[in-house]
Amino acid sequence: PDDGQGETGVVTKTKPKTKRPPLYKVLLLNDDYTPMEFVVHVLERFFGMTHAQAFEVMLTVHKKGVAVVGVFSHEIAETKVGQVMDFARRHQHPLQCTMEKE
Ligand code: TYC
């Protein structure tokens, strides 16, 4: 068979690889001290959730220990984590926010 690479009898196929950027999950972690209302506010402010959505997600973190609060490109995820960590530190709450590759 002619693969256009000489008469070697070997057909090499090149995959049409479409490069999608990797996505990152932003995780919010539970702790014993951050007030529930503060977490709800963070979710509204930085993740565009309605009050009802934010309350629901906050309760999930409170009960399960952790929840994914959004999925973003690396740059956006880093920005969100930075904003949450900075906001929590400024208000002296131990709230933790991290990211991981999906
Ligand atoms: N567990 C906290 C409390 O009882 C509330 C809380 C929820 C803290 C979610 C952090 O990511 C968190 N006050």
Side-chain angles (χ1 to χ4, degrees):
D2 189 354
D3 61 353
Q5 298 178 17
E7 295 299 313
T8 61
V10 177
V11 177
T12 47
K13 238 185 190 170
T14 50
K15 224 190 203 154
K17 230 182 232 154
T18 305
K19 281 255 175 184
R20 274 176 299 96
L23 292 175
Y24 292 78
K25 297 183 281 196
V26 171
L27 308 168
L28 202 61
L29 278 59
N30 188 37
D31 66 74
D32 293 338
Y33 305 103
T34 304
M36 290 186 172
E37 319 83 70
F38 183 83
V39 178
V40 170
H41 181 72
V42 161
L43 293 171
E44 292 174 319
R45 182 171 178 140
F46 299 114
F47 297 93
M49 296 185 193
T50 66
H51 190 78
Q53 281 173 331
F55 197 88
E56 198 174 286
V57 171
M58 179 282 295
L59 271 189
T60 300
V61 179
H62 177 69
K63 288 190 228 172
K64 305 227 178 185
V66 63
V68 176
V69 297
V71 178
F72 306 98
S73 69
H74 187 272
E75 185 174 349
I76 301 290
E78 256 185 358
T79 300
K80 300 281 182 196
V81 169
Q83 286 173 330
V84 173
M85 293 301 284
D86 189 58
F87 192 64
R89 187 165 34 75
R90 272 162 36 217
H91 289 84
Q92 304 194 348
H93 294 311
L95 182 64
Q96 294 293 307
C97 185
T98 61
M99 60 192 272
E100 69 176 36
K101 204 168 177 178
E102 209 179 37

